[in-house]
Amino acid sequence: MTKIWKSASTYLVAALISIGASYGTYSYLSNRANYGSADIFNYAQDFDQKNVHLASLTADGYPDFTKAAESSIHAVVHIKSTVKAVETAGRRQRQMVDPFEYFFGFGDRGGSEYANPQPSVGYGSGVIISKDGYVITNNHVIDKATEIEVTMNDNRKYTAKLIGADPTTDIALLKLEGNDFPYVPFGNSDDLKVGEWVLAVGNPFNLTSTVTAGIVSAKGRGGIGAGKPGGGDMTIQSFIQTDAAINPGNSGGALVNTNGQLIGINTAIYSQTGNFAGYGFAVPISIAGKVVADIKEFGTVQRAVLGVMISDVSAVDDINPEKAKALKVKEGVYVGGFADRSPAKEAGVLEGDVIVAVNKTKVRSVGELQDLVNRYRPGDKVELTINRNGDTKSVNVVLKNSSGSTSVVKKTDGLAAVGAAFKKLTEEQKKQYGVSYGVEVAGVDDGGKFKKEGISKGFIIMKINNASVSSPDEVEQIIDAVSKSQDKGLFISGFYPNGRTKYYAIDLNE
């Protein structure tokens, strides 16, 4: 297994999509209460003291994790996901198995595309977060599953319903039928400190109810390629890094603090062998909590965008040494450009500005900016503190979604499903391409259907369902109409600037 670590020291992010990469937190703007596992699902639990245990010491003076382990182990479940074979083109075809899935807990899956049509079975972990049976897990644990079976620590078994999933953050929300389930209350991952003790609870190698201990090795860790080793759809740049042992089967399990509170969802490891090598990574509950709250309320994650192209200040010297010399700060996020319909540009942010804080919280890197901005939904207002030629200024920005709107999107919304933004062709572009109409794809969302089908930024759409398009409004109207019709198929034709003609078929039902 090759290393999954990738350097994140220099990169330029088109934040029309990346800043709206759909991972967020449990805190809202000033007039909104912080999330907790109780708040998300409207329970008046207030983190009952019977479910929260302060760390204590043994008689020998060592940390005692027994109460924290006992309070969380009964709410961490074993997940068995089954993918049934599918039949295509007159022959039975087995679901292809991504080899990276083995690394993340699908140890029992295998075979080739045309192997015997037997069901494919995989295993992982999940965390119950409410009394009425909502469960957080990783998307890759249940991806493409046709059956999901959950086994409790006391061996009770349930068939779980998939409420929704977000491949971008590798988080999914399940529901168990019943009530009065044990649950793990949310902690505050923002308050974690490097060196703090944490416990990883899960089912490695199908060994149920396993607890390991370690410390927080780093916070805000990015660049690991995320959902799958070596790359994938997930774009989180803010993992909790821990040396608590995490192995295949731990995916979707709990990372808890010594109070027995959920502060992360174990997701990935750094390894050359596929097994634990000292470095594990968890999605902070500040991200996972917002994701599941959105999925439960809206059916899809709300993506807030600034609409800026950014890089770390430390990377500007590699991108443009002359501009780097003019900067007056050593930390922050450099604004190198803007997307169309950029809310940051509309609010007065200029190219060359350095964002140093969001709502008074210091920003030192692109990952931190992404984390902070995505704590909010379209329509929320954030205060950016910027350094402009040595002067500090405050700019209030109303965040928007990738379509340039402040509206909340629903799962049934066609535009939310395709996950793309569009831009009208300029007269110069029309002359260059030799066309009289067309619409450019200005950006694609990692979790949307455009990205899934291979449509990239820069693609020129000529026709949708045989209708010529000349403006973003026309594209959006067609997509919206199709999403509300019985036949939810989009047939798109166009070309890339290099002249390559392409045709795409997208099913909004899937």
Side-chain angles (χ1 to χ4, degrees), residues 331-373:
E331 290 184 327
V333 177
Y334 178 79
V335 178
F338 300 95
D340 280 3
R341 295 184 285 190
S342 165
K345 185 176 182 180
E346 291 174 1
V349 177
L350 302 179
E351 184 176 340
D353 286 348
V354 177
I355 300 172
V356 295
V358 176
N359 287 344
K360 310 298 185 184
T361 300
K362 188 175 180 180
V363 169
R364 292 166 295 186
S365 66
V366 166
E368 290 183 351
L369 178 62
Q370 289 177 317
D371 185 16
L372 289 169
V373 169

Side-chain angles (χ1 to χ4, degrees), residues 63-267:
D64 183 359
F65 303 126
T66 56
K67 291 183 178 179
E70 183 180 357
S71 68
S72 56
I73 200 169
H74 297 293
V76 175
V77 299
H78 178 272
I79 295 179
K80 174 184 175 182
S81 62
T82 302
V83 179
K84 291 184 177 179
V86 296
E87 189 167 335
T88 58
R91 61 186 173 187
R92 295 185 63 80
Q93 176 183 358
R94 183 184 175 120
Q95 292 279 1
M96 290 192 68
V97 178
D98 190 325
F100 294 133
E101 290 182 345
Y102 177 87
F103 181 82
F104 284 105
F106 289 98
D108 286 352
R109 287 186 179 172
S112 63
E113 182 177 0
Y114 300 109
N116 292 329
Q118 299 300 317
S120 177
V121 179
Y123 304 98
S125 305
V127 187
I128 303 176
I129 57 172
S130 68
K131 287 182 179 179
D132 61 349
Y134 280 94
V135 178
I136 292 184
T137 186
N138 283 141
N139 174 68
H140 73 258
V141 169
I142 51 79
D143 189 31
K144 300 181 180 66
T146 51
E147 295 178 4
I148 303 173
E149 181 184 84
V150 168
T151 303
M152 304 283 292
N153 191 46
D154 60 6
N155 293 321
R156 284 180 294 164
K157 296 183 184 294
Y158 295 86
T159 297
K161 177 183 178 182
L162 176 62
I163 302 301
D166 180 44
T168 303
T169 53
D170 201 12
I171 293 296
L173 181 65
L174 310 178
K175 179 68 170 67
L176 309 180
E177 287 301 320
N179 208 341
D180 204 25
F181 287 95
Y183 66 93
V184 184
F186 280 16
N188 187 342
S189 54
D190 287 346
D191 289 342
L192 276 180
K193 298 188 183 303
V194 174
E196 182 175 338
W197 283 103
V198 289
L199 305 180
V201 188
N203 305 285
F205 306 114
N206 263 342
L207 301 173
T208 59
S209 307
T210 298
V211 180
T212 58
I215 63 169
V216 175
S217 304
K219 291 180 62 178
R221 184 68 79 192
I224 74 167
K228 299 169 183 174
D233 289 338
M234 194 160 56
T235 55
I236 293 176
Q237 298 292 335
S238 190
F239 283 97
I240 299 168
Q241 181 181 324
T242 176
D243 64 356
I246 298 173
N247 279 293
N250 271 114
S251 289
L255 189 70
V256 301
N257 59 21
T258 53
N259 295 330
Q261 297 170 319
L262 184 65
I263 45 87
I265 302 298
N266 298 321
T267 298

Side-chain angles (χ1 to χ4, degrees), residues 327-491:
L327 298 180
K328 306 297 183 182
V329 290
K330 300 298 182 182
E331 290 184 327
V333 177
Y334 178 79
V335 178
F338 300 95
D340 280 3
R341 295 184 285 190
S342 165
K345 185 176 182 180
E346 291 174 1
V349 177
L350 302 179
E351 184 176 340
D353 286 348
V354 177
I355 300 172
V356 295
V358 176
N359 287 344
K360 310 298 185 184
T361 300
K362 188 175 180 180
V363 169
R364 292 166 295 186
S365 66
V366 166
E368 290 183 351
L369 178 62
Q370 289 177 317
D371 185 16
L372 289 169
V373 169
N374 284 280
R375 297 173 182 231
Y376 310 104
R377 291 173 175 167
D380 286 340
K381 182 184 292 185
V382 297
E383 179 188 3
L384 301 183
T385 303
I386 61 174
N387 185 285
R388 181 180 296 164
N389 300 321
D391 296 328
T392 300
K393 300 179 180 294
S394 295
V395 178
N396 292 319
V397 181
V398 177
L399 300 173
K400 297 182 179 180
N401 57 37
S402 59
S403 300
S405 168
T406 58
S407 301
V408 169
V409 296
K410 298 285 187 178
K411 185 176 182 179
T412 54
D413 291 348
L415 288 174
V418 299
F422 308 99
K423 182 170 66 174
K424 186 176 181 179
L425 292 181
T426 65
E427 292 303 319
E428 182 178 344
Q429 284 178 305
K430 291 178 183 178
K431 184 182 297 184
Q432 177 185 351
Y433 302 145
V435 298
S436 58
Y437 60 90
V439 175
E440 180 181 356
V441 176
V444 293
D445 186 343
D446 283 336
K449 291 183 179 294
F450 268 40
K451 178 66 175 289
K452 180 180 178 180
E453 296 300 328
I455 301 178
S456 303
K457 177 181 177 182
F459 181 67
I460 308 300
I461 299 174
M462 298 297 290
K463 292 184 178 182
I464 302 180
N465 292 354
N466 211 33
S468 301
V469 291
S470 299
S471 70
D473 287 342
E474 289 179 355
V475 172
E476 292 170 4
Q477 287 170 9
I478 293 174
I479 294 173
D480 184 58
V482 169
S483 69
K484 296 174 182 177
S485 67
Q486 289 186 339
D487 181 9
K488 299 184 184 297
L490 293 175
F491 300 94

